[in-house]
Amino acid sequence: MFQYVLKRLLSTLPVLLGISLLLFFMLRMLPGDPAQVLAGQMASPDDIKIIRHQLGLDRPIFIQYGFFLSRLARFDLGRSARTQNPVIKEIWARLPNTMLLAVAAISLACLFGIPAGIISAVRPYTWIDYLFNSMALFGISMPVFWLGLMLVVIFSIMLQWLPAGGTGSWKHIVLPSFTLAAFVVAFITRITRASMIETLSQDYTTTARSKGLKERVVIVKHALKNALIPIITVVGLQFGLLLGGAVLTETVFAWPGLGRLIVDSILARDYPVIQGTILIFGLLYILVNLVVDLLYAYIDPRIRYA
Amino acid sequence: MHEMTQTQVIRNPHRQADSQLRRRWAKLRRNKAALFGSVLILIYLIIALLAPILFPGNPSAPNLMKSLERPSMEHPLGTDELGRSILGRIIYGSRVSLLIAIGVVMVGLLVGLPLGLISGYYGGKVDFGIQRVTDTLLAFPGFLLALALVAVLGVGLKNTIISVGISMVPIYIRLVRGCTLSVREQTYVEAARAMGTRDMTILIRHILPNVMAPITIQTSLGMGTAILFAAGLGFLGIGVQPPTPEWGAMLGSGRAYLFNAPHVATFPGIAIFFAVLGFNLSGDGLRDILDPRFKL
């Protein structure tokens, strides 16, 4: 298992390097002096001079990249052009909010999506299967930000049950997490259905049934367990989609997370924060995929010995 | 007699292709969801083409005297904060959204298709290089990649199309590469190679037609995603800029009036929903018809 983990960790290195290159060239693709861009519009010539020296902009490009990598390794992402706070501080302040929202949404999506997919697979081509399929399709086609606004209109303005935005109590997370969950539940329902239909037609399921096991045991212990790998893959992949959706959901509900931070930074052309937030989003996505791969090996031992 | 007719059909490639087309058309007609999706797309296309006839006048001209009016006979979907007809802006918005959808898949295809073909066909170092770049791009969720590109390129219609298009490139590369890998092992490709056919000819004549089915499906689904992504950028204020009537931007500006005029944000969302639904239903239908193996 240790060897598998090590191998998997090493395989993320080229992607990490790719991300660093992307971020490095992102700043250099902008028109004008990168030092001026990083310092912001209000910076004095002295500030710009200091930043230019810090970044090694007066040296060859590969040395600049070396500087950049060394700063990244130390999580030194520079200072925000807007607030002058270290970028990493700005990110740490908002990361827990985004994670809370993402975990709440993915949990809700699994709580609804997996049972819905199982029911659809057990009763394929019945009214309930068509109902869940239609709901899944609606979920995929619905703009998440519109759904959020409609939930605000219904539950905050008309019924006045839940707050329209902000943080503070458990009530504040209900609407944003439901909005974000609707975004991914469709994929989870669809893959659970497809995966379960396949495992339910396998010989071992027929054997389990012929042994006289209860249908519930056959479904949960024999079919679902074997259908889990594609489901976990999709849940992992959806986490990335969820981070993209979080940008919109956080904007709708004024949720102080990373998504809101990156949008505010783009509008203010605060490039150090944009760079830092993109890096963190990329790292989060890689980390989730890593965890998913490790979960595969835990669920199916054949994978770690392959 | 019956057997003879069948043999004749098989021997005649044109008739065979014709009957295959007919079979697929019959399948499409039987698939009610796909048919509904195609009808939705057709309606949007007609609306976009006939926009000046359906809504004579300038959809961006403000009329502050009629600001935030509720739906009425004069303005069936009400007016926005600047007194502009929401129906008129949705009608003209369909032009913008369809343009974005087509532009985005064109960018995705123009870059992703050749790279995917080359990567899958040649393999080796070329494949390794292209795939590492793809891995890096895939390390970012699509919408975030588009967001990052907008941060570099700037806002506006052209940059929205480029940014969302580039965010789709890695998907096309992976898809085309995967299909190419399996097609290049086929006997007819080997035969073409043995006959000394040039690589470019093999790629275009023998491999490309055989990877068209998944590309067609992805293109339909990709158009739906493109509309959603572009509307998302417009909603955040970093996509298509006012006064161009774009559904996402309309929703974004309507957000400020949710309490007193919720209709401003409601109708553009419905327009986005049905357009995306149309492309998703058609994509799903195409998958059932062209490649039932991938049916979920």
Side-chain angles (χ1 to χ4, degrees), chain A residues 18-19 22 26 30 137-138 140-141 143 145-146 149-150 153 157 190 193 240 244 248 251-252 267 271 278 281 285, chain B residues 136 138-141 143-144 148 151-152 228 232 235-236 251 255 265-266 269-270 272-273 276-277 280-281 284 296:
Chain A
I19 292 177
L22 198 83
M26 177 185 159
L30 293 166
L137 201 72
F138 274 44
I140 291 171
S141 310
F145 42 98
W146 179 67
L149 291 179
M150 292 304 106
V153 170
I157 299 172
R190 282 181 145 202
R193 178 184 182 273
L248 294 157
T251 305
V252 171
L267 290 170
Y271 286 100
I278 290 171
F281 272 126
Y285 198 31
Chain B
T136 306
L138 283 173
F140 297 100
F143 186 70
L144 276 172
V152 176
L228 270 184
F235 174 77
L236 295 172
L251 242 164
R255 190 159 62 104
T266 306
I270 295 174
I272 300 170
F273 170 69
V276 179
L277 185 71
N280 283 345
L281 283 172
D284 273 1
L296 288 181

Side-chain angles (χ1 to χ4, degrees), chain B residues 204-272:
Chain B
I204 295 172
R205 277 229 184 129
H206 300 286
I207 295 183
L208 187 60
N210 287 294
V211 300
M212 279 317 282
I215 291 174
T216 313
I217 298 162
Q218 179 55 40
T219 299
S220 182
L221 295 171
M223 281 187 168
T225 312
I227 292 176
L228 270 184
F229 278 17
L233 292 175
F235 174 77
L236 295 172
I238 49 179
V240 178
Q241 294 297 296
T244 308
E246 195 273 327
W247 297 335
M250 287 168 73
L251 242 164
S253 63
R255 190 159 62 104
Y257 310 100
L258 275 187
F259 283 87
N260 50 347
H263 66 275
V264 182
T266 306
F267 295 118
I270 295 174
I272 300 170

Side-chain angles (χ1 to χ4, degrees), chain B residues 32-274:
Chain B
K32 284 184 187 127
L35 205 63
F36 178 61
S38 310
V39 170
L40 275 178
I41 297 172
L42 197 70
I43 291 172
Y44 275 100
L45 267 172
I46 293 169
I47 290 174
L49 286 172
L50 303 181
I53 299 166
L54 294 170
F55 187 82
N58 183 358
S60 300
N63 183 0
L64 292 173
M65 299 294 284
K66 298 200 173 230
S67 157
L68 298 176
E69 275 186 9
R70 286 182 182 279
S72 62
M73 287 301 280
E74 192 188 352
H75 299 291
L77 302 183
T79 60
D80 66 5
E81 70 280 11
L82 295 176
R84 300 171 297 194
S85 163
I86 292 174
L87 177 66
R89 289 181 69 72
I90 286 178
I91 288 174
Y92 275 88
S94 61
R95 288 185 155 194
V96 178
S97 289
L98 288 179
L99 180 71
I100 289 173
I102 294 166
V104 163
V105 293
M106 288 295 278
V107 171
L109 275 172
L110 279 174
V111 184
L113 182 64
L115 285 177
L117 281 172
I118 291 167
S119 184
Y121 184 72
Y122 289 105
K125 281 180 188 165
V126 180
D127 181 38
F128 183 83
I130 294 174
Q131 288 317 305
R132 294 300 73 79
V133 175
T134 312
D135 280 346
T136 306
L137 293 176
L138 283 173
F140 297 100
F143 186 70
L144 276 172
L145 188 60
L147 206 71
L149 290 164
V150 163
V152 176
L153 299 171
V155 297
L157 178 64
K158 191 183 80 189
N159 288 341
T160 299
I161 292 175
I162 296 172
S163 305
V164 180
I166 293 176
S167 77
M168 302 230 163
V169 165
I171 300 167
Y172 278 104
I173 294 180
R174 273 286 151 89
L175 182 73
V176 176
R177 175 187 179 264
C179 298
T180 309
L181 278 176
S182 65
V183 175
R184 75 166 185 187
E185 301 302 331
Q186 298 294 319
T187 325
Y188 55 84
V189 175
E190 261 180 60
R193 221 179 288 145
M195 282 166 66
T197 315
R198 284 188 317 138
D199 284 348
M200 184 66 93
T201 315
I202 294 177
L203 278 170
I204 295 172
R205 277 229 184 129
H206 300 286
I207 295 183
L208 187 60
N210 287 294
V211 300
M212 279 317 282
I215 291 174
T216 313
I217 298 162
Q218 179 55 40
T219 299
S220 182
L221 295 171
M223 281 187 168
T225 312
I227 292 176
L228 270 184
F229 278 17
L233 292 175
F235 174 77
L236 295 172
I238 49 179
V240 178
Q241 294 297 296
T244 308
E246 195 273 327
W247 297 335
M250 287 168 73
L251 242 164
S253 63
R255 190 159 62 104
Y257 310 100
L258 275 187
F259 283 87
N260 50 347
H263 66 275
V264 182
T266 306
F267 295 118
I270 295 174
I272 300 170
F273 170 69
F274 279 110

Side-chain angles (χ1 to χ4, degrees), chain A residues 87-88 90-99 101 243 246-247 250 255-265 273 276-281 284, chain B residues 144 147:
Chain A
V87 171
I88 198 73
E90 299 265 357
I91 289 172
W92 283 139
R94 286 163 179 84
L95 184 63
N97 285 332
T98 297
M99 291 309 290
L101 184 59
L243 292 177
V247 175
E250 287 178 6
W255 185 263
L258 284 181
R260 187 76 214 130
L261 179 68
I262 194 171
V263 174
D264 287 344
S265 307
V273 180
T277 321
I278 290 171
L279 174 75
I280 296 297
F281 272 126
L284 273 176
Chain B
L144 276 172
L147 206 71

Side-chain angles (χ1 to χ4, degrees), chain A residues 82-146:
Chain A
R82 266 185 312 163
T83 61
Q84 293 306 315
N85 286 331
V87 171
I88 198 73
K89 204 174 145 189
E90 299 265 357
I91 289 172
W92 283 139
R94 286 163 179 84
L95 184 63
N97 285 332
T98 297
M99 291 309 290
L100 179 68
L101 184 59
V103 171
I106 207 99
S107 310
L108 267 176
C110 288
L111 218 65
F112 178 79
I114 295 177
I118 294 173
I119 294 169
S120 277
V122 174
R123 300 186 198 293
Y125 309 108
T126 57
W127 68 269
I128 195 139
D129 181 30
Y130 287 126
L131 178 76
F132 285 139
N133 261 332
S134 310
M135 281 168 76
L137 201 72
F138 274 44
I140 291 171
S141 310
M142 204 176 287
V144 63
F145 42 98
W146 179 67

